[in-house]
Structures are given as structure tokens and as C-alpha cells.
Amino acid sequence: MSRNNSIRTALFAGVAFTTLIAVPAFAQDNTVAAQAEEAAVTDDGVIIVTARRREESLLDVPIAVSAISGAQLEASGAIDITDIAQATPNVTMEVSRGTNSTLSAFIRGVGQQDPVAGFEAGVGIYLDDVYLNRPQAAVLDIYDVERIEILRGPQGTLYGRNTIGGAVKYVTRRIGDDPQMKVRGAYGSYNQADLVVSGSTPLGDSGFKVGAAFARLSRGGFGKNLTTGLDNYNKDIWAGRGTIEFEPSSSAYFRITGDYTKDKSTTRGGHRLIPGIATGTPVLANVFDSRGNLLDPAQDVKAWGINGFFELKPSDWLTVRSITGYRKDDSASPIDFDALNAVQVDVPAYYNNEQFSQEVQALVDVGGFSGLLGVYYLDAKARTVFDVRLPGGVTAQTFGDVFTDTVAIFGDFSYDFNDMFSVSAGGRYTWDRRDATVLRRTYLGGGSPIFGGVGTLFATTSDFVGKADFAKFTPRASVSFKPASNHTLYASWSKGFKGGGFDPRGQTSACRTTAGGTCNAQQVYDFLSFDPENVTSYEVGYKASVLDRRLTFALAAFQSDYTDVQVPGSIGTTVGGSQTFIGITTNAGKARIKGIEFEGNAILVRGGNGSTLNLGWSAGYMDAKYLHFIDARGIDVANRRKIQNTPDWTASGTLGYTTPIGEGSLTVSGTAAYRGASQQFELRTPMLDQKAYTLFDANLVWEVNDMLSFGIHGRNLGNKRYIVAGYNFLAQNPDTGDFLRTAGAYNPTLGTEGVLTAYYGSPRQVFGTATIKF
């Protein structure tokens, strides 16, 4: 795969395959506070986390971080990684449009909704500390997980890949010292039937341990495709993970992990929000029903990877780590944008991604001085191929091939002047290279040959090869003050960076000079390329545990100043008298996002028999706005644009009661999660933008003993219908977003029926679980 074999070989030489040593994080009701019985704690009850790649008390870490243990995720009935956003402040994580497995993630207003090659994620997703370079296959199902951590704000001095908005870490379990086996099954609404089997054992006294986990996750559709008869929004996933660990001594540890996921769920058909413009086809009553008739290629997602970790402690003050990862995923997806039984805007697509990464760290801890120094390398390839099939047999094919090479040096160090004052400083220097090939062709009389079409090549509208190099130093600094052992105040300042690139959907023939003439080579390069995005972030916070640890909370206030904000998008337009599809990526001049986050946990009642009444909460507020945004007309429209997928308020509360029963316990909990209104795109889109809503969940878990438990879980008990993604190809007023009409009818920009299609979050689900441990 690599085009720089000498670099990769040099970085790989002498480095054993390894994976992260996982210090158990705190468990919580999706807040910063945790119940000690499910947490990693010291003898005096201090919660330990590893957000800064070293063991620290949660109260000491000058970072806004939330963590949820695997036990807490199971108790809450969480299904996949997107569920953690429901009760985490200022975080949005949704399944992206037509699949079960492509992720759209936003933290503090920063993210990436467009899954095509060429765009770098604003939020980093890490699987056992290996960065996932593409959003395909990034909706990780929750099985065999130790914890999930969410770090908010730019991350570059502590993690291999720089991420401008934040990071989400999915950490799998480390194998224990005793043989164990666990079987968990679930059955519920829509014929949900899940089975997870995991087990592990040491191999005598050899120092070797082996473990494996298998998951079968299935569910019928929330609705039907009324044209094909297939289930819509169903689930059909097989997944597995295997691990080998070797610990020859207390100063050396090795781990190799391989995982595989196959998703054969049918493609998600969207719900039309308007009747057909040409035929008057009515809007369906059930938002989970659809009418699309695109079946080729068959929906199929395969993802696999191997992670390796090596840790060596040559002395008490020095630890050396290596993290190696190789991942590959291939997706075939038939996306029927118009959701009708006709060729209007039909998009068969292939996504093929491959990556190799290598990270080496040195951690030091000498008295009051501690820190990390690391080197990171990423070699990634992403290919996106899709047709846009329009009425009359016209097909606009897009082929985008993007290579990414990244090398970075990063470090972060802390010094404790005394028990009260400490400072931290770090920096990262990143070198990014993008190599892109963009080929766009128009076929007449049928689809393109790559998707089995019989169309005739009519025109080549893009044949572009481009390269770009980006380099950036991004520093970070923080100060901490502890007036008492359970109180921490901190202030931090950091810079973040996301590399530029090329829009693989760009059409070079659409490039025109200001005088209307044909563009030269440099003008075409500028037309298809976009600049890096930069952020300067400021944060102050206060963390405390009071009343004999019965009340724990964290409060953070932040401001992020962005320049050259990357805004990818696509439009329907007319070139040479024919409709076509063009990618348009804008670097908005400036944006400012400021807000507040508050997380907490309170033990309201502690009974003499060991019972507890617990309240966990989170709340986030964001004031996000563009300060400078020049549109295609050359006009500053900052006051007419909003940052997408960024509600002003997010809040949640969980009330839980636990009481001993026999050898175990009974826990009853209920959660309410509120999200404010948000827009799908920068320009207001009537009907598609989501109004504020609240979701209600409830759980009842009976821990019979240490080996057996049962649960009943209800999610979205109010059966709320809420939009998480969508497509729009209707003509709009560029200032108000209102749809343009002719004689009362909407004006389509692609096809003749119009495209205003929505995808919805899951409806009410109720399911039971049973878990047995051996």
C-alpha cells in the first residue's frame, strides 16, 4: 500500500506489534462522576483516568473529558458508539444517511458530515489508540468494550493523529489473569436478536494469554421499502475480535489484536418530505418507509484490522511504547437520493479505504516532572467511486482517489511546582501530503461500466491530478491550581490544524474566469483545492469532589476561534444545458464557537442496607456563529449561515436507584436527553432542519449474583421522530434558504421530481437482555 516504503520500514523496524494497556476508566451515568464499585480507583477512592496517556486522578486532568465504562454501557442498553452522544455535552454522533456503519461526528461544533475521500475528519475516532482515517465502518458496535472516552477540544500533543475538534476512544478489554467466559443475549422490538460471546484464558505459566469475542447483531427493519419489499433500517452484522497477549515480566508487555466486521444490512432508504414534482407521488405516512428501487450494487460493508502494542519499562522513570495499526474497509452502497421507483437521482457507490499507521512514544516520570514525546506516521489511501444517474439516461460518474502521507512529532510535559501549582506545555509539528486524482465522466443511455451500466461515454468533465503539502506547528499550554486535594482549577490554550486537500467531486469544466472564459491549469487547481483549517482554543475549568465524594462535578467554559473553516458540499447545476452534480468546498473566512459544559453526579440517598439513589447530569451550551463567510456571489453572508449539526443546548439527566437483593442487586434508572434545534447544512433548509426534542430511556437491571444478570431496556420511549441526516437538491434563496417556486411548484436542481429526503433516528425500542459469566 505505501508509496514511501523506506519511511515505513524505518519506522516499523524493531517495533513489535502492540496495543494500548488499558487502565480501567471510571464508570458513570454518562457524566464525569463515577460509582466506585465500577471504577478504577485508588485505596482512598480517587478515580483514575489515562486521558493524557498516563495514570492520573480525574480531578487533576486539565482537559474536558468524559468516560463511560463497558459495564455502564451495558446497563444503559447502549447499542453502538453513537449512543454516547445522547448524554455527553456538546457532542453529536449520528449514522450517516444510507448505511448503518458510516459515522458523522461533531464535538463543540467541529466535525465532518461528508464521507467522500479527500476530507479529513474533525473528530478523531480511535480503536485501541489506532486512528480510523475514514468515517466508513466507524459506527462501532458495543461489545467486548472496557470503556469509551470523549475528549473535547483540539488533540494533537497527546495523540498520534491531530484532531481539531476532539477525540473519541474505543478501548477494548485487557485479558485477565483467570480463565473467564461471558455470554450476553438480547431480544426485543423489531425482532432484535443479539448474541455476544467472549472468553479468555492464560496459557499456563508461559506469560501468554489468549482471548476472543464474537458478536451476531440482527434486527428487522423499522419500516419497509414498498417497491422492493425489503426491510428498511434493518441490521445484519457479524463481528469478531481475537487477542494474543504476552507479558514475560512486569517491565514488558505485548499485545496483538485483530478484528473483523461484516455488515449485510440493506441500504437505508430515505423519507421524501415533499410529493413528486412531476408525478405528484404522495409523501408516505411512515417516515421509516421508502420507495427507492436502486438495488445494485448490493449493500455490503466489510472492515478488518490488526493492531499491535509493545510496552517496555527499562527503568522506573521511563516507559517506551509502540502502537502499530493496519486497517482496510470496503463498502458498496446503492443510495437512492430521490426515494422513488424511478431513475431520478440514483447513486450507486463504492468506498475503499486502506491505512497503515505507526506511533512510538517515550513517557517519563521523574518526581514532579512527567511527560510524553512521540513520533507518528500515517499512510492512507481512500477511493470513492459513484454514479449520479439522472432522468433521460444521463449519468455523471465521479472517481476520486486520494493518498495521504503524514509525519508528526509531538510532546506534552507537566511540572508540579508543589501540591498546589502545576504547568503543562506541549507542541506538535505535522507534515501532511495529499495526492489526488479526480476523474469525472458523463455517460448517455445508461450507467457507467464500473457499475455494470451500458452507457456511452459522452464527455470527460474532469481529469485532474494534484499534489499539496501542508506543515504546521500547533502548541498547547495549561496551568492548574489545587486549593485542596479534591478541587482543581485550570486554564488552557491550544491551537489545532486540519490539512487541506482536493474535492473529489469537483468538475474542472465548470471552472470559469471572472470574465467567463476557460480556466488555465493554475485556476483549475485553485478551483478544486481547499485550504487547511486552523483553530485557537481557550478553556477554563473547575473540577471538584465534595461532601465525602457524594457530589462530584466538572465545569468548563471555552472559546474556539476558527479561520478558513472547511465547508464541503454538493449542488445540482446546469452545465452545457444539462443537469449535473458538482462538489463545492468553501473555506469560510472566520467562525467563533464559545460555550459552557457542566457534568456531575450526586448520591442523593445512601441507605443503611447499601441502597443508593443517584442523580447524574450533563449540560452544554454553545454560541456558534460565522464571523466572515464569502459565498459564490462574493458576498459576506456570515449572518445568514449557521454551523451545521450544532444545537445551542444539549442536556441530560439520569436518576437511578439501586438496592441489594439476595446475593445481588436491583437497579432502576431513567434518562431524559434534550437537544436543541440544529441545521443539516450551513444554509437553512426548511422541513429538513431538526427542531429541539427530548428522548426518554429507562432501564431495569437485576444482578442475581456475580455470574447472572437480567435487564429490560427501553429507548426513545416517547417514540419521537427526529431527523439526523438528509439530502436537498431544490433551488433555494441563497440568503433566506426559502425554496424557490414556479407556479407554486418547487424547482428541482437534480432530476424532475425534486430531492428533499430525510433520515431518522431510531424509534421506540424495548428489549430484554440476559448475561451469564463463567
Side-chain angles (χ1 to χ4, degrees):
M1 166 186 163
S2 172
R3 295 167 296 118
N4 292 315
N5 287 329
S6 60
I7 296 176
R8 185 159 110 181
T9 301
L11 286 167
F12 189 78
V15 179
F17 280 109
T18 58
T19 184
L20 174 67
I21 280 187
V23 178
F26 51 92
Q28 58 182 358
D29 290 326
N30 295 338
T31 68
V32 297
Q35 295 180 6
E37 49 268 46
E38 293 185 5
V41 297
T42 62
D43 291 339
D44 60 355
V46 176
I47 302 167
I48 302 298
V49 295
T50 56
R52 293 199 293 176
R53 298 291 186 94
R54 54 186 184 267
E55 295 183 10
E56 296 178 286
S57 163
L58 175 64
L59 295 178
D60 295 338
V61 180
I63 296 173
V65 55
S66 301
I68 306 98
S69 75
Q72 185 67 29
L73 290 165
E74 287 188 6
S76 66
I79 296 173
D80 61 47
I81 199 170
T82 63
D83 287 333
I84 66 175
Q86 184 171 307
T88 308
N90 294 333
V91 173
T92 297
M93 299 182 73
E94 303 288 359
V95 175
S96 179
R97 297 165 182 162
T99 75
N100 278 327
S101 55
T102 300
L103 181 68
S104 294
F106 290 77
I107 294 179
R108 291 181 174 176
V110 181
Q112 174 58 43
Q113 182 172 233
D114 208 318
V116 301
F119 300 107
E120 186 178 317
V123 174
I125 307 297
Y126 292 83
L127 176 58
D128 282 337
D129 264 17
V130 173
Y131 172 76
L132 305 185
N133 188 59
R134 304 299 306 144
Q136 287 80 26
V139 179
L140 303 172
D141 289 284
I142 293 172
Y143 74 99
D144 195 40
V145 60
E146 181 180 277
R147 70 185 184 276
I148 296 176
E149 298 181 2
I150 308 98
L151 287 74
R152 299 185 290 276
Q155 307 296 324
T157 64
L158 294 166
Y159 290 86
R161 186 60 166 143
N162 56 298
T163 52
I164 197 167
V168 178
K169 295 175 56 181
Y170 185 105
V171 182
T172 61
R173 300 185 191 278
R174 183 175 175 179
I175 298 176
D177 294 329
D178 299 315
Q180 55 183 302
M181 183 175 180
K182 178 179 177 181
V183 180
R184 186 174 191 265
Y187 185 80
S189 307
Y190 304 99
N191 287 320
Q192 174 188 348
D194 299 338
L195 178 66
V196 179
V197 180
S198 60
S200 62
T201 184
L203 301 180
D205 297 327
S206 65
F208 282 95
K209 302 175 184 177
V210 295
F214 161 83
R216 171 62 175 143
L217 311 171
S218 65
R219 188 194 64 235
F222 298 145
K224 284 285 186 181
N225 185 309
L226 304 184
T227 300
T228 66
L230 297 173
D231 278 353
N232 200 27
Y233 287 80
N234 73 327
K235 194 170 189 177
D236 184 1
I237 293 175
W238 298 82
R241 181 178 296 115
T243 301
I244 300 175
E245 295 181 1
F246 179 52
E247 192 168 6
S249 69
S250 60
S251 60
Y253 172 75
F254 302 82
R255 182 181 183 186
I256 301 174
T257 300
D259 66 272
Y260 178 82
T261 299
K262 184 176 181 64
D263 185 351
K264 291 289 291 182
S265 312
T266 56
T267 187
R268 292 190 175 197
H271 173 71
R272 288 182 61 85
L273 299 176
I274 61 170
I277 295 173
T279 62
T281 304
V283 173
L284 294 172
N286 185 353
V287 300
F288 296 107
D289 287 345
S290 192
R291 292 194 185 96
N293 196 26
L294 180 63
L295 297 175
D296 186 37
Q299 177 94 349
D300 188 22
V301 179
K302 293 187 288 289
W304 66 275
I306 185 167
N307 304 345
F309 182 86
F310 162 70
E311 182 175 79
L312 180 66
K313 296 181 179 180
S315 66
D316 292 340
W317 62 270
L318 177 64
T319 301
V320 179
R321 292 176 181 165
S322 165
I323 303 167
T324 306
Y326 174 81
R327 300 203 62 82
K328 190 175 190 301
D329 65 84
D330 299 285
S331 302
S333 186
I335 310 173
D336 198 318
F337 279 38
D338 57 277
L340 290 172
N341 184 16
V343 178
Q344 280 287 317
V345 186
D346 290 1
V347 184
Y350 291 133
Y351 301 94
N352 308 103
N353 305 303
E354 191 176 6
Q355 69 175 77
F356 169 84
S357 61
Q358 176 61 57
E359 181 177 351
V360 179
Q361 306 169 1
L363 295 89
V364 298
D365 189 352
V366 183
F369 178 78
S370 60
L372 172 150
L373 183 65
V375 179
Y376 179 76
Y377 174 69
L378 172 69
D379 179 14
K381 177 173 66 175
R383 187 187 77 150
T384 298
V385 185
F386 61 86
D387 282 359
V388 177
R389 297 177 181 173
L390 301 170
V394 178
T395 295
Q397 185 201 66
T398 295
F399 177 95
D401 212 356
V402 179
F403 293 85
T404 298
D405 277 319
T406 294
V407 177
I409 300 173
F410 59 95
D412 195 277
F413 299 91
S414 300
Y415 182 73
D416 299 331
F417 290 98
N418 50 45
D419 291 341
M420 297 177 65
F421 293 97
S422 65
V423 296
S424 296
R428 176 191 188 90
Y429 203 95
T430 303
W431 296 266
D432 271 355
R433 160 161 282 202
R434 299 278 194 280
D435 294 335
T437 299
V438 179
L439 179 64
R440 296 205 52 185
R441 292 173 170 173
T442 300
Y443 292 84
L444 300 180
S448 71
I450 197 168
F451 292 102
V454 295
T456 301
L457 179 63
F458 174 72
T460 297
T461 54
S462 289
D463 189 0
F464 172 82
V465 177
K467 297 183 178 181
D469 293 287
F470 310 98
K472 187 73 173 181
F473 175 70
T474 48
R476 183 182 187 280
S478 67
V479 295
S480 299
F481 171 62
K482 293 178 65 65
S485 60
N486 292 332
H487 297 258
T488 299
L489 294 95
Y490 69 90
S492 67
W493 166 86
S494 61
K495 287 182 175 289
F497 160 77
K498 184 168 75 170
F502 305 92
D503 191 331
R505 301 160 306 185
Q507 185 165 313
T508 57
S509 61
C511 180
R512 289 291 182 268
T513 65
T514 54
T518 302
C519 295
N520 59 34
Q522 183 59 50
Q523 290 168 328
V524 167
Y525 181 96
D526 294 339
F527 182 69
L528 261 66
S529 63
F530 53 89
D531 293 332
E533 179 177 297
N534 297 280
V535 63
T536 301
S537 181
Y538 310 88
E539 183 175 324
V540 293
Y542 174 44
K543 301 181 179 184
S545 180
V546 298
L547 303 177
D548 193 24
R549 304 189 188 282
R550 295 184 63 164
L551 174 63
T552 305
F553 61 88
L555 178 66
F558 65 92
Q559 177 169 317
S560 301
D561 297 326
Y562 285 86
T563 58
D564 295 321
V565 181
Q566 296 169 8
V567 184
S570 53
I571 62 171
T573 189
T574 300
V575 177
S578 299
Q579 282 187 339
T580 191
F581 170 91
I582 298 179
I584 300 293
T585 299
T586 302
N587 279 108
K590 293 181 180 180
R592 186 209 64 212
I593 303 173
K594 58 184 179 180
I596 297 174
E597 295 160 349
F598 184 33
E599 299 177 277
N601 192 83
I603 300 175
L604 302 178
V605 177
R606 182 177 288 156
N609 63 345
S611 62
T612 59
L613 180 64
N614 189 83
L615 174 64
W617 70 87
S618 71
Y621 171 76
M622 281 189 291
D623 177 16
K625 61 180 61 178
Y626 287 106
L627 303 180
H628 189 63
F629 192 130
I630 304 299
D631 71 358
R633 302 168 296 173
I635 299 173
D636 187 354
V637 292
N639 63 345
R640 285 157 275 177
R641 298 292 185 270
K642 288 189 176 181
I643 296 175
Q644 63 175 251
N645 287 287
T646 304
D648 53 354
W649 281 100
T650 55
S652 74
T654 297
L655 185 65
Y657 176 73
T658 300
T659 186
I661 292 183
E663 298 179 17
S665 63
L666 181 69
T667 299
V668 181
S669 66
T671 297
Y674 170 85
R675 299 186 69 82
S678 62
Q679 292 187 182
Q680 291 294 328
F681 308 106
E682 278 65 29
L683 179 62
R684 168 180 166 266
T685 309
M687 293 186 279
L688 192 58
D689 294 334
Q690 178 60 49
K691 297 179 180 179
Y693 64 93
T694 302
L695 301 181
F696 298 94
D697 298 342
N699 304 280
L700 182 131
V701 178
W702 177 27
E703 298 278 351
V704 180
N705 51 41
D706 291 339
M707 298 179 59
L708 183 64
S709 66
F710 299 95
I712 299 176
H713 309 276
R715 303 187 64 79
N716 188 10
L717 292 176
N719 208 23
K720 178 67 179 179
R721 300 294 190 256
Y722 59 100
I723 295 172
V724 298
Y727 296 108
N728 170 43
F729 290 99
L730 298 176
Q732 292 177 271
N733 182 305
D735 294 314
T736 66
D738 291 337
F739 294 123
L740 303 180
R741 300 188 184 218
T742 300
Y746 297 104
N747 296 333
T749 59
L750 280 182
T752 59
E753 295 279 18
V755 173
L756 188 64
T757 306
Y759 295 84
Y760 287 78
S762 299
R764 180 193 298 121
Q765 293 176 269
V766 179
F767 55 96
T769 59
T771 303
I772 185 168
K773 301 175 183 178
F774 303 95

